Amino acid sequence: MAAPAFKNGLVRWIDHRLPVFSFLHHELHEYPTPKNLSYWWNFGSLAGIVLVIMIATGIFLAMHYTPHTLYAFDSVERIMRDVNYGWLIRYIHMNGASFFFIVVYIHIFRGMYYGSYKAPRELLWILGVVILLLMMATAFMGYVLPWGQMSFWGATVITNLFSAIPVVGDWIVTWLWGGFSVDNPTLNRFFSLHYLLPFLIVAVVMLHMVALHRFGSGNPLGIDVKGPQDSIPFHPYYTAKDSFGLGVFLILFAGVVFFAPNLFGEPDNYIPANPMVTPPHIVPEWYFLPYYAILRAIPNKLLGVIAMFASILVLFILPWLDTARVRSAKFRPTYRKFFWVLVIDCFVLGYVGANPPEGWFVITGQIATAYYFFHFLILLPVLGLIERPLPLPQSISAPVLKPAEGKA
Amino acid sequence: MRRLISAVALLLAFGTAAEAAEAVKPPKQHWSFSGIFGTFDRASLQRGFQVYKEGCAACHAVTQLSYRDLKGIGYQEDDIKAIAAQAKVMDGPNDAGEMFERVGRPSDKFVRPFPNENAARAGNNGAFPPDLSMIAKARVGGPDYVYGVLVGYVPPPAGVTVADGMHFNTYFPGQQIAMPAPLNVDGVPYQDGTKATVEQQAKDVTTFLTWASEPTLEARKQMGIKVLIFLIVFTGILYAAKRKVWASVH
Amino acid sequence: MAEAATATRGHAEGETRRDFIYLAAGGMGVVGAAAVAWPFISFMNPSADVLALSTTEVDLKPVQEGMAITVTWRGKPVFVRKRTKAEIDAAAATPLSALPDPQPDSARAKKPEWLILVGVCTHLGCVPLGQKTADPKGEFGGWFCPCHGSHYDTSGRIRKGPAPKNLEVPAYAFLDDTTIRIG
């Protein structure tokens, strides 16, 4: 690849010494992208933009936030009431977390539907799972910072999960807390880490991008790009498409931020933390509900915790659990049905997680949990071997070209 | 481990207790501040503030509010100074190293009726009157719930025994509340000729408390409308641009 | 020929409309980004509770002649000095030509015996010495900034050293004979 000839003299001067413009040209303009990407491929870049929004609003919020048990709640309320546009920036950050998970979950399920994790993109997928784990840790610690009732009791319950570890469990929990309960040292370290982890996410996102650009995006057909007729430059085609998608996203996001900012929140978190009184119904944020349901589905404490972590860790080995040779569910009629069953299963788990563990919720949660692991550990390996995929098109252009050929 | 088990046990106990006397969901009311164009009714806010000041304030704090915030419900600077001046604020230490009382200023936070939770409990038969500055956001149901509790005092139905010092309330979780019915007909002398029924007072004070929970609500909605209009037009243009860019791709 | 001409014109019109849409999209993007920047900039400005605290009342009764007290206003020290007759005369007698930042003493004190100054050196923001009896007061009997050696006179005016301006006189008002409100 030859360095492009830039018209602007200053750009040429800089690029000769620091080839950032060549890099951008290469990654955006020359970077060949399959021409048949659907709107489901918008969510990757969208997630990146939400990450930037979260970091920007977070850095500003930290300028007025006080990480101390006596002041944290009031400092957040001061941001909401007295700081100029504080309510806006805080509501963007608070709801941004929910929208980040919505976007990332869609991105993940898109990857599952179209087999984006299959060779040669296994590491791309694994880096994505690492990002998800880092996001979960960041979101959890961020939720503690306003120091409301849900912050405190969420922190107490989640950190107590580690007490399930045999022998060293209690020691680990004390270490996490920096004391004998969730208290000021805990709040301080959570603030410190909540500020740090997003930058780790940025680093892993960059690796995710490097891995992506090695083989380029997958596509809805799941077949490889065969030549220049199958691809178009990322810019302007996908920059234009992503910009439009971003516009639609921002309309929905602004709708919630301005007109229903507490939609995803719990009223209890507007009560200052009280270590003496647990609220009658403690639930995690919505994006943790399916894992919470898996935790509660198993009546043994240690096994419940293991199952919960396993529900995410299983994604690491997904590229090898799925034995099918065909990537896209478009050509896997049976897998396609089970994919949607898994989606419904996750919603059922979320619904169970939001409700108290009583009555039929218990058995429903257990069945849904069992199905979740059945899908990944048994169904995918077996289905890949026995399913007969539909015939694949010759190339990305082929299905489009065919009618044209017929006409001629 | 024991801690978690007891926490879970506590949680279950709470859950079942709440279930045993499941409170009735308070009916939805019409509020001036609901909807995307909603704004606070200023007259209702000021009446509501009067109800708070002459009733609730004897037991309930609104720690997040400062006197200067009253500008947001339509009071002028001089009114606010006069309201603040009615309060005695503890300040200090002075040059002699002693705390002293002074007259309140607009920059002061609302003075709380009790210096701390223990004092509040001691003065209220062991019950703690919650801080009301966030009440409309901190309860499921929000303003409808606050209004519901204020008007929800009825004689207990047959077969229900109300514990000593408790009162029956249709909408309060568990239906037994330590606070006696706080509002009485004409309990607050309204200046603007509005009839001070219990419902009217409840409505006004709920409006005031909703404002207290989020004084920036109006600014938020007004900005939201502008932002949405901008984004919808912008997204339309982005869609047109995308169509143009893609016109040549087959 | 005619056909070719029409085709060309049609093409050109398409081009213009396309350019307009790109310009509109880019323009709105720039406007949107600028509008987003403002809340963030404003966020860092003083908040409502900080602005509300921007006045301080000072009781002058305990201050003896020749003494000074330091009070806090907007997080900065304010010097309140009850000047002696000799100090007032010295300040009034100084010819304006001797001052780097010429200002008569009468313009700096509402009542000659009371001098109210923001106690922040106009050079780089240190707090000058001279409030306590034992402090060095500089060559002109007022204040001396230890950071870079600026000397202020009994009216708080810069006389020697790197500071460019006189010590600032804050806005203040006498509420009665013995109380002032700063701010």
Side-chain angles (χ1 to χ4, degrees):
Chain A
M1 165 215 39
F6 294 106
K7 280 190 199 124
N8 187 312
L10 180 64
V11 170
R12 214 162 40 232
W13 189 91
I14 294 173
D15 197 68
H16 185 62
R17 290 151 180 86
L18 180 73
V20 284
F21 296 102
S22 292
F23 175 79
L24 286 178
H25 183 83
H26 176 59
E27 296 301 325
L28 284 178
H29 208 82
E30 292 169 352
Y31 177 58
T33 313
K35 63 192 215 180
N36 61 335
L37 298 189
S38 66
Y39 276 106
W40 294 113
W41 263 260
N42 275 42
F43 290 89
S45 68
L46 207 48
I49 288 165
V50 180
L51 176 61
V52 171
I53 292 173
M54 293 303 282
I55 289 178
T57 50
I59 286 173
F60 275 79
L61 286 174
M63 295 177 190
H64 281 293
Y65 171 74
T66 310
H68 188 287
T69 51
L70 295 180
Y71 306 109
F73 188 89
D74 287 345
S75 75
V76 172
E77 271 310 303
R78 188 179 151 267
I79 289 171
M80 293 294 292
R81 290 157 189 268
D82 287 336
V83 175
N84 307 319
Y85 297 103
W87 58 269
L88 174 64
I89 293 181
R90 195 241 170 171
Y91 274 153
I92 290 176
H93 196 73
M94 182 175 129
N95 288 291
S98 282
F99 276 85
F100 202 0
F101 275 96
I102 292 173
V103 166
V104 163
Y105 281 152
I106 294 174
H107 187 60
I108 292 171
F109 277 109
R110 189 272 286 153
M112 288 188 188
Y113 186 87
Y114 292 108
S116 304
Y117 46 80
K118 284 174 182 287
R121 297 188 182 84
E122 300 96 323
L123 282 180
L124 174 61
W125 172 265
I126 285 172
L127 287 167
V129 181
V130 172
I131 293 171
L132 174 65
L133 284 172
L134 286 171
M135 271 177 68
M136 292 170 71
T138 310
F140 160 65
M141 288 189 278
Y143 193 58
V144 177
L145 302 186
W147 209 242
Q149 274 289 65
M150 283 294 171
S151 300
F152 181 87
W153 292 101
T156 301
V157 170
I158 302 297
T159 47
N160 260 312
L161 291 179
F162 294 91
S163 70
I165 301 169
V167 187
V168 292
D170 283 339
W171 184 86
I172 288 179
V173 173
T174 309
W175 176 76
L176 285 174
W177 289 340
F180 301 102
S181 63
V182 173
D183 207 335
N184 201 46
T186 327
L187 178 60
N188 267 287
R189 62 191 59 186
F190 278 19
F191 178 56
S192 170
L193 295 172
H194 180 72
Y195 207 123
L196 169 72
L197 288 190
F199 296 97
L200 278 184
I201 294 179
V202 169
V204 183
V205 165
M206 284 176 178
L207 292 177
H208 195 65
M209 298 293 293
V210 173
L212 172 70
H213 283 222
R214 179 71 182 83
F215 294 102
S217 298
N219 66 77
L221 296 177
I223 54 177
D224 291 330
V225 169
K226 298 259 163 60
Q229 74 279 9
D230 288 348
S231 68
I232 46 179
F234 189 84
H235 179 75
Y237 295 100
Y238 286 107
T239 40
K241 197 169 179 174
D242 283 354
S243 299
F244 167 59
L246 175 64
V248 174
F249 170 81
L250 288 179
I251 290 171
L252 298 173
F253 188 31
V256 172
V257 164
F258 289 106
F259 299 109
N262 294 304
L263 179 69
F264 297 109
E266 282 292 326
D268 279 303
N269 222 28
Y270 284 113
I271 303 171
N274 181 352
M276 298 298 126
V277 182
T278 309
H281 294 288
I282 45 169
V283 281
E285 286 280 85
W286 70 266
Y287 37 80
F288 291 140
L289 290 175
Y291 315 108
Y292 194 55
I294 291 173
L295 168 77
R296 296 192 306 194
I298 294 167
N300 177 297
K301 181 174 172 180
L302 176 60
L303 292 179
V305 173
I306 289 174
M308 189 185 79
F309 283 106
S311 68
I312 302 159
L313 298 181
V314 72
L315 297 176
F316 277 113
I317 51 166
L318 175 60
W320 297 277
L321 288 174
D322 184 357
T323 50
R325 283 154 173 258
V326 172
R327 288 201 189 101
S328 174
K330 219 174 179 138
F331 305 106
R332 298 181 62 190
T334 319
Y335 170 69
R336 193 161 62 211
K337 292 192 188 84
F338 282 110
F339 169 84
W340 288 111
V341 175
L342 178 72
V343 172
I344 293 165
D345 188 56
C346 288
F347 276 102
V348 169
L349 282 171
Y351 183 68
V352 169
N355 282 285
E358 298 158 0
W360 71 275
F361 285 119
V362 178
I363 185 74
T364 313
Q366 286 169 345
I367 293 170
T369 301
Y371 183 80
Y372 182 90
F373 287 105
F374 165 78
H375 176 94
F376 286 104
L377 297 176
I378 297 166
L379 184 79
L380 282 185
V382 173
L383 194 62
L385 299 176
I386 59 173
E387 186 182 23
R388 252 184 78 119
L390 303 175
L392 295 179
Q394 286 299 307
S395 75
I396 289 171
S397 311
V400 192
L401 286 179
K402 246 180 228 151
E405 280 164 12
K407 231 183 275 171
Chain B
M1 197 177 288
R2 210 175 302 130
R3 227 181 340 254
L4 181 70
I5 292 168
S6 54
V8 170
L10 201 70
L11 198 150
L12 289 173
F14 262 105
T16 42
E19 224 110 295
E22 194 64 73
V24 183
K25 200 170 179 273
K28 283 211 175 305
Q29 306 293 324
H30 175 76
W31 298 108
S32 58
F33 48 81
S34 54
I36 64 168
F37 297 106
T39 53
F40 291 111
D41 174 349
R42 288 291 181 286
S44 179
L45 276 178
Q46 296 195 1
R47 288 195 302 267
F49 173 58
Q50 193 187 354
V51 175
Y52 167 75
K53 197 172 55 162
E54 292 171 17
C56 327
C59 300
H60 291 276
V62 281
T63 47
Q64 301 293 344
L65 283 187
S66 301
Y67 294 106
R68 63 186 159 80
D69 291 331
L70 292 174
K71 212 174 153 194
I73 69 172
Y75 282 106
Q76 301 302 313
E77 208 132 313
D78 291 339
D79 305 331
I80 296 172
K81 272 187 187 154
I83 292 166
Q86 290 168 6
K88 291 269 174 291
V89 177
M90 193 56 94
D91 202 346
N94 61 14
D95 294 341
E98 283 155 7
M99 303 303 281
F100 59 93
E101 265 192 354
R102 62 163 173 79
V103 166
R105 298 180 194 140
S107 59
D108 288 320
K109 293 268 180 205
F110 270 66
V111 173
R112 43 175 102 188
F114 299 99
N116 52 55
E117 182 175 336
N118 292 2
R121 284 192 191 278
N124 287 285
N125 293 326
F128 177 52
D131 189 312
L132 295 183
S133 41
M134 309 287 289
I135 201 81
K137 272 162 103 178
R139 294 291 182 277
V140 176
D144 295 332
Y145 167 80
V146 176
Y147 177 84
V149 165
L150 288 173
V151 300
Y153 287 88
V154 288
V160 175
T161 20
V162 178
D164 203 27
M166 301 296 267
H167 310 270
F168 188 84
N169 188 306
T170 318
Y171 304 112
F172 190 73
Q175 299 198 316
Q176 302 209 12
I177 186 168
M179 173 172 73
L183 303 174
N184 303 305
V185 181
D186 293 326
V188 176
Y190 279 156
Q191 305 298 317
D192 62 0
T194 310
K195 280 211 66 78
T197 60
V198 168
E199 287 76 15
Q200 184 64 44
Q201 292 175 58
K203 197 133 201 175
D204 292 339
V205 80
T206 304
T207 305
F208 171 72
L209 291 174
T210 307
W211 168 82
S213 294
E214 193 162 336
T216 51
L217 179 141
E218 288 178 354
R220 166 161 65 79
K221 291 187 174 180
Q222 280 157 18
M223 185 192 281
I225 290 163
K226 289 178 208 148
V227 168
L228 273 190
I229 291 172
F230 176 87
L231 283 176
I232 289 168
V233 173
F234 188 27
T235 304
I237 289 176
L238 286 174
Y239 182 64
K242 186 256 161 189
R243 289 280 300 262
K244 287 280 173 197
V245 169
W246 280 76
S248 55
V249 179
H250 299 290
Chain C
M1 277 302 279
E3 245 182 73
T6 325
T8 319
R9 201 167 60 228
H11 184 68
E13 268 169 16
E15 203 89 302
T16 329
R17 202 165 71 222
R18 185 182 303 177
D19 286 349
F20 169 75
I21 286 168
Y22 295 159
L23 279 176
M28 283 192 87
V30 170
V31 170
V36 167
W38 175 245
F40 283 88
I41 295 166
S42 180
F43 187 84
M44 293 172 72
N45 268 327
S47 54
D49 56 328
V50 172
L51 293 174
L53 286 174
S54 54
T55 61
T56 302
E57 283 178 23
V58 185
D59 181 11
L60 301 176
K61 263 180 273 167
V63 188
Q64 304 292 319
E65 195 174 279
M67 303 287 285
I69 56 167
T70 307
V71 296
T72 314
W73 174 64
R74 291 183 172 173
K76 289 184 287 198
V78 169
F79 297 162
V80 179
R81 186 154 174 175
K82 192 171 190 184
R83 296 191 289 185
T84 59
K85 185 83 175 56
E87 285 171 336
I88 299 167
D89 291 345
T94 310
L96 290 186
S97 57
L99 301 170
D101 180 13
Q103 215 180 8
D105 183 60
S106 56
R108 295 176 55 79
K110 290 192 175 157
K111 293 185 180 180
E113 66 270 32
W114 291 108
L115 185 62
I116 320 289
L117 299 170
V118 176
V120 175
C121 181
T122 57
H123 181 220
L124 291 171
C126 295
V127 177
L129 298 172
Q131 287 292 89
K132 295 197 190 98
T133 345
D135 279 352
K137 289 187 160 58
E139 291 173 21
F140 300 89
W143 288 269
F144 170 71
C145 182
C147 290
H148 306 95
S150 291
H151 299 254
Y152 296 92
D153 67 11
T154 54
S155 185
R157 293 172 299 195
I158 180 65
R159 298 298 289 276
K160 189 181 166 191
K165 286 199 175 327
N166 302 330
L167 289 178
E168 187 194 339
V169 178
Y172 66 93
F174 279 88
L175 300 180
D176 55 53
D177 277 352
T178 57
T179 318
I180 55 164
R181 189 183 58 214
I182 304 169

